[in-house]
Amino acid sequence: MSKLNGRKAAMATFVAMAASLAVVSIANAATYDLIIDEVTVDHSGTPKPAIAYNGQTPGPTLRFKEGEEVTINVTNRLDEATSIHWHGLILPPDQDGVPGISFPGIAAGETFTYRFPIVQSGTYWFHSHSGMQEQDGAYGSIVIEPKEREPFKFDREYVVVLSDSHDDSGERILSNLKKM
């Protein structure tokens, strides 16, 4: 086999593998399982407890398609109640994730299932609306692809999430601010 034919065969194999991976990720886009739990992070050389989704903070990027119905199962492994607010999403009030206003919250050891239609596209974020959990790491990003093809071309995309990090917990920082 010539070098040129070998390169073409390798390129064809790579393209086929990449296409199959893209199909797999889209097929599972409508259902997510999130586990909220405590983890240890070290952003400054001082390990500290943080709150994470699926073991990471920020949490995973959730990818949806406009027009689909999504199901998100959230299991709370914390020792306290939690919630997820879907920031900027248009959804039914009982799925908004604000404890005491739109639902009771997710008790420790419980699983709550969010189900709602995706009626928009764009980039958004989700975060806890319980205590100082967001400040301690309970947040992540959402990318919603539009029904129709974008009017421009791109070969890659990046999701950038910016947040503050401090060696003290959100509760400690808040209590220090209240003393001033």
Side-chain angles (χ1 to χ4, degrees):
M1 181 184 300
S2 73
K3 286 184 181 180
L4 185 58
N5 285 341
R7 286 186 188 143
K8 284 182 180 178
M11 181 57 79
T13 301
F14 174 76
V15 170
M17 289 171 57
S20 69
L21 288 175
V23 171
V24 170
S25 65
I26 291 170
N28 295 326
T31 300
Y32 280 94
D33 293 310
L34 295 177
I35 297 172
I36 185 165
D37 204 353
E38 193 170 285
V39 296
T40 300
V41 296
D42 185 349
H43 299 142
S44 67
T46 303
K48 72 168 203 163
I51 298 176
Y53 295 109
N54 294 357
Q56 64 186 60
T57 180
T61 298
L62 306 181
R63 293 186 172 273
F64 307 133
K65 286 192 176 235
E66 182 180 11
E68 72 181 356
E69 178 94 9
V70 298
T71 301
I72 306 159
N73 303 305
V74 180
T75 300
N76 181 5
R77 291 193 182 155
L78 299 172
D79 294 331
E80 61 187 5
T82 192
S83 60
I84 296 182
H85 172 65
W86 312 99
H87 204 92
L89 296 190
I90 301 167
L91 40 75
D94 65 337
Q95 299 296 294
D96 193 42
V98 181
I101 295 177
S102 61
F103 87 130
I106 307 167
E110 297 292 321
T111 297
F112 181 82
T113 299
Y114 292 93
R115 281 190 186 91
F116 50 87
I118 300 297
V119 297
Q120 68 207 80
S121 63
T123 305
Y124 303 91
W125 69 303
F126 63 96
H127 58 88
S128 174
H129 245 271
S130 300
M132 300 299 286
Q133 293 174 3
E134 175 205 326
Q135 291 76 9
D136 289 337
Y139 57 89
S141 56
I142 302 168
V143 175
I144 304 172
E145 295 177 26
K147 277 185 190 178
E148 304 298 322
R149 187 178 170 279
E150 295 281 7
F152 47 84
K153 292 183 178 183
F154 55 91
D155 59 353
R156 66 182 64 115
E157 66 180 23
Y158 299 95
V159 176
V160 178
V161 179
L162 303 175
S163 181
D164 294 332
S165 181
H166 194 278
D167 290 342
D168 291 329
S169 70
E171 290 289 340
R172 172 117 189 212
I173 292 170
L174 182 62
S175 71
N176 286 338
L177 289 173
K178 287 184 173 184
K179 290 178 185 175
M180 300 177 124

